[in-house]
Every structure is written in structure tokens, then in C-alpha cells.
Amino acid sequence: MHCRTLYPSGFACGPQEPSLENPAISSSRPLHDDTAPAPGTTGTLERDALIPEPDLLPALLQQAIRQAFNAVLITDAQPGPSGPRILYANPAFCRMTGYAVEELLGKTPRLLQGPQTDPAVLESLREHLRTGRHFRGSAVNYRKDGTPYTVEWSISPVRDEAGTITHFVSVQQDISDLVAAQHSSQLLVRALDVARDAIFITNAEGVIEFVNQGFELVTGYSAAEVQGRTPALFKSGKQDEAFYRRLWHDLKSGQTFRATVANRHKDGRLIHCEETVTPIHDHHGEVTHFVSIIKDLTERVQAERELRQQARLDGLTGLLNRRSGELQLERAHQAAREGCQSFCVMLADIDHFKGINDTWGHPAGDAVLQAVAALLQSSVRATDSVARWGGEEFLLVLPCCELAAANKLAERIRERLDRTPQPGVGRITLSIGVAQARQGESLTDLIERADKALYRAKQEGRNRVCGA
């Protein structure tokens, strides 16, 4: 679209050479004076705009305004019911609004206003103009085709030699793209903040520049506490150096790094996280930042751990259950074959346990089972295993142990329990059968020998240890 400015005696300045030779603009006097109107005119804007006067505006300034990137609008200072009237619009203003200059001259800038134009901004603008002050602000205006755009104004009054305001000069810029970008940026930040996962961004050196609100929920650290620091702040020490070498190898090669890690919460507890770190590249392909997303898996990890414990341990005593005891037995058997080392097993059974349940009730029986389990567990080495084998029977697996040492340990256990009365029940005793694995013997045969030794201890009067 060409932007033309109409000027005196019927000639027009086309898009190549628009002129500011307009007495209402170039003269310091007000638009209206006492000069009689020219024939065929009314003495209003048309008369002043069509009377040629010497050009008082330097040619360089004219060229600068015509070629300016920003839109420039000049109005008179007449209050009128519709406000000041447009006397000049440069080509940039025409391009911004979609109006030809002929459609603008003599009109009020209010033709650009619409439903989304903020009344409060307009009222502030009018107040500034009434009091002759410079105004700077922004609002939504409308192009000729009805599409809205956001404009930033800088409007200044022009005074004559007597100090009277004769015109207003408005320098304008379409900031729609900037506003849209700011809106998108604000929307992104809001979206990041409503995310429950922790999100943080570091520069290429690993210094934290941004964290979302979810970061504080997951780690306990606020933005103020971590900005300017590195993620080493919540390092737990659970990952080895090989882990970090792999992390930096992937990131420096431009790859996304994913791993399940244990971080340290601000309060000192461990938090189990699924972490994804992605490098951000500039248009040259250089890494400028890293964005990390941390999903808190702590509850899930704890739940899985509890499930594993439930599957592995006896619910009443906390000892290994029978299946876990069998696995420990198999490991000891395998280690003994590979290392040519012997190992022993014990089968211990609480004497007269049925009578305890019948006399004192099942809660008392459960308490006895728990007490015996605690005594057995506290009596063995860290490398030994204790399992509830079934009912009131317990299995002890003793790697790298000879029969003589196993018998001594069994006797100590028997004596400790015999000397420790149980609350509400009294004296409790154990019968124990001990067996040492033989070369080439199967586990079934080994357990059968230990069981026979236990049976013999029962037959010989209980509260005793018998070896196989």
C-alpha cells in the first residue's frame, strides 16, 4: 500500500517524496488564525493544509521522518469533541495501520480504537495532553481491516514561541510480536510452575539460572537458595565417579542423559529421582544451557522396597521367609562348592509351642516367636542367615563354618533362651539339630540330616543340641 500526503494547490506528495511542507505543521502559530479563508474553502484544516508557505523544517529532518522505521503521527492541538485531528502520517504509520494517508488526514486518531482498547490508558493519555505533559504508554489499536495490534506511544506536545501548545507529535511502534513473546514466556513460566516435577536450567558451566516451583516441592530448596549454585548442592554421594563421567560424556556429545539417581533433600533425607538432562544449543550448535527434569520417585521406590521386603521377609518375625531362606541356602551351597569351603545349617524348634498357644493364647504365642527370632538374629554373624522355616521352626545358614563351631553356637543360643524367661509365659526352650554339608551332598540330603538331628534332640528330652 502506498502512503500519500495531500498538500496545497491540488498537488500531492507520492510515496517516493512525501513532504512536510504544511503551515499547520511547520509554522509555530496555531492552526487557526485571523486570516480570511481562501475562496472556496472554509478556513479549517483544508485551508491551512493547502496554503503553501516556506519550508521551515530542514530537509534532512523531513527525510528522516519519512524514512523512519517507527510510525510518526502529527496532530493539531484543538480539543474538539473528537480530539485532535491528524495533520501528518509518515509511511511507517500507514504501513502499520493499513490506512492510506488520504484516509487519515483530518480524522481523529480515535478511528484506530476498538473493543480491546483500554479506557484507563486513554483517560491517562487525555489527562497528559490536557496538562501538556509527555505521555508514554501502550494499548490495543485496530488496523483498517479490523485486526488488532498492540502499539507503544510516545507523545510530546509542540509549543509555539509564546508557550502555547499547537501540535502533538506521536512516535509509535507496533509491539505486538514483543507482547506475544512476553505472553508466551509468561505462559511457559506459569506452565512450568504448575508442573509437579522439578525443572531447573543451568548455563553451560552447570550454574543454576532458573528453577520452577516444583523444584522446591521435590528438593526443599527455594529459587533464591540455589540460583548461582550448582546441582552439587543436592548431591547425595550415592552415585560413583563413573556415573558422573557417563553423564558429562553424554551431555558434551549433545545427547540427552537419563538415569535414576538418589539426591539429598534439604532436610537431609534421600530422595529417589528419575532425572533427564538435555543440552540446549544456540544457532551455531554450541551448548549454552542444560535443562533438567526431576521426577520424584521416592514414594514409589519405598513402596517397591516394602513389597520386596514383604515378599522376602516373614511378616510376624521380620526374619527371612522360607523362600528367602532357601535362596540363602543355595548361595551358601554354591559358594562352598566353588571355594571348597564347608558350611553348616541349624534347624531350631520351640519346645511345647502348641501348649503355649493353647494355654496363653495366640497373641502370647506370637510374642514368643518374635522373641526367639530376635535372639537368633542377634546371636549370629552378619554373613549368617536366619529364616522362619515354618510354624515354630527356624533355619540358620552358617557359611564358612565347621561343625564344631556350629555346635558351640547352637549351645550358646539354647542356653541364652533357657536363661531368659518370656513375659507372661515363663521359661521357653529350644531343640536344635546341626549338620555340616558334605562333599557332593545335595541340599535336600543336608536338610534331611539336620531335621533328623532335631528329631533326635526332641526324642532325648528337648532343650538340647544334637549334631548329624
Side-chain angles (χ1 to χ4, degrees):
M1 172 182 297
H2 293 305
C3 182
R4 305 174 68 250
T5 307
L6 293 180
Y7 288 115
S9 302
F11 78 88
C13 290
Q16 294 81 12
E17 294 293 337
S19 172
L20 293 178
E21 293 180 355
N22 186 322
I25 300 171
S26 60
S27 174
S28 61
R29 61 182 172 80
L31 183 64
H32 299 290
D33 59 17
D34 296 330
T35 304
T41 67
T42 60
T44 58
L45 172 68
E46 290 82 357
R47 180 184 68 80
D48 285 320
L50 295 177
I51 298 176
E53 290 190 5
D55 182 9
L56 301 181
L57 192 64
L60 179 60
L61 183 55
Q62 292 187 49
Q63 293 175 2
I65 294 176
R66 283 197 300 268
Q67 299 174 26
F69 171 79
N70 288 334
V72 178
L73 188 73
I74 300 177
T75 70
D76 63 19
Q78 303 305 312
S82 300
R85 295 167 300 168
I86 298 172
L87 303 180
Y88 173 80
N90 74 341
F93 187 89
C94 294
R95 288 193 297 270
M96 181 175 71
T97 64
Y99 286 97
V101 71
E102 296 91 339
E103 299 172 297
L104 296 170
L105 293 178
K107 303 293 195 309
T108 170
R110 291 185 182 180
L111 88 161
L112 301 171
Q113 298 171 14
Q116 296 182 45
T117 308
D118 189 348
V121 174
L122 295 177
E123 182 56 36
S124 176
L125 167 61
R126 295 186 190 106
E127 179 61 25
H128 279 73
L129 298 187
R130 278 196 296 269
T131 55
R133 290 179 291 155
H134 170 262
F135 176 81
R136 186 179 183 87
S138 63
V140 174
N141 273 351
Y142 289 80
R143 300 182 181 89
K144 180 181 177 180
D145 62 9
T147 57
Y149 66 99
T150 304
V151 63
E152 184 178 62
W153 300 311
S154 179
I155 304 176
S156 300
V158 179
R159 290 177 168 84
D160 62 14
E161 293 178 354
T164 302
I165 297 176
T166 62
H167 301 84
F168 293 105
V169 177
S170 175
V171 179
Q172 305 183 11
Q173 183 177 0
D174 182 351
I175 59 170
S176 300
D177 290 344
L178 176 61
V179 170
Q182 290 174 342
H183 175 74
S184 296
S185 178
Q186 293 166 358
L187 179 62
L188 176 60
V189 171
R190 289 196 298 270
L192 292 177
D193 277 339
V194 299
R196 301 290 294 178
D197 295 339
I199 302 173
F200 67 97
I201 299 174
T202 73
N203 62 18
E205 286 70 45
V207 177
I208 297 173
E209 296 184 352
F210 167 84
V211 300
N212 70 338
Q213 292 180 3
F215 182 89
E216 184 170 358
L217 294 175
V218 173
T219 68
Y221 290 99
S222 67
E225 291 175 303
V226 300
Q227 284 178 346
R229 305 183 70 174
T230 70
L233 177 66
F234 38 91
K235 187 176 179 181
S236 68
K238 297 296 182 180
Q239 285 72 236
D240 58 19
E241 290 303 316
F243 170 87
Y244 290 103
R245 284 196 298 270
R246 182 167 64 88
L247 181 151
W248 283 110
H249 173 271
D250 288 356
L251 295 182
K252 288 180 179 179
S253 61
Q255 302 177 45
T256 295
F257 177 82
R258 293 183 180 87
T260 300
V261 300
N263 287 328
R264 185 74 62 184
H265 192 275
K266 182 181 177 180
D267 63 13
R269 61 186 170 88
L270 282 180
I271 48 175
H272 299 275
C273 306
E274 179 182 79
E275 188 164 351
T276 302
V277 186
T278 303
I280 300 175
H281 301 84
D282 61 16
H283 61 282
H284 297 298
E286 298 293 327
V287 173
T288 61
H289 294 81
F290 299 103
V291 58
S292 298
I293 302 175
I294 298 177
K295 184 182 292 292
D296 189 354
L297 302 179
T298 303
E299 290 185 2
R300 192 177 85 184
V301 169
Q302 290 175 344
E304 290 175 350
R305 184 175 295 166
E306 289 174 3
L307 287 174
R308 286 196 298 271
Q309 290 289 83
Q310 291 173 7
R312 180 171 174 266
L313 302 180
D314 175 63
L316 177 63
T317 63
L319 298 177
L320 297 176
N321 58 25
R322 185 180 181 106
R323 175 57 186 150
S324 297
E326 290 172 345
L327 292 175
Q328 293 301 317
L329 193 59
E330 290 170 3
R331 291 192 183 103
H333 189 227
Q334 180 69 20
R337 285 205 313 267
E338 293 175 353
C340 298
Q341 296 175 336
S342 183
F343 76 100
C344 291
V345 297
M346 296 183 196
L347 283 176
D349 187 87
I350 301 174
D351 296 326
H352 303 296
F353 184 73
K354 184 178 182 301
I356 295 172
N357 277 334
D358 292 344
T359 303
W360 307 104
H362 287 283
D366 289 347
V368 169
L369 287 170
Q370 291 170 337
V372 172
L375 183 146
L376 293 174
Q377 190 68 69
S378 65
S379 300
V380 300
R381 303 166 298 177
T383 55
D384 299 333
S385 301
V386 182
R388 186 179 178 189
W389 200 238
E392 69 273 22
E393 192 173 52
F394 301 88
L395 170 72
L396 288 76
V397 181
L398 313 173
C400 302
C401 182
E402 299 291 335
L403 182 61
N407 281 327
K408 289 181 180 179
L409 173 62
E411 190 61 35
R412 286 197 302 271
I413 291 173
R414 185 198 65 77
E415 290 178 355
R416 281 186 62 192
L417 183 63
D418 192 23
R419 295 194 305 265
T420 310
Q422 301 303 309
V425 176
R427 178 170 174 260
I428 300 298
T429 62
L430 277 178
S431 296
I432 304 174
V434 184
Q436 180 177 348
R438 295 170 178 169
Q439 186 73 24
E441 183 180 32
S442 69
L443 288 176
T444 301
D445 291 342
L446 173 63
I447 293 297
E448 184 177 351
R449 286 196 299 111
D451 191 55
K452 287 180 178 179
L454 171 61
Y455 180 77
R456 190 166 67 254
K458 292 281 190 181
Q459 291 295 105
E460 293 178 6
R462 297 182 172 82
N463 190 25
R464 65 185 62 238
V465 174
C466 288

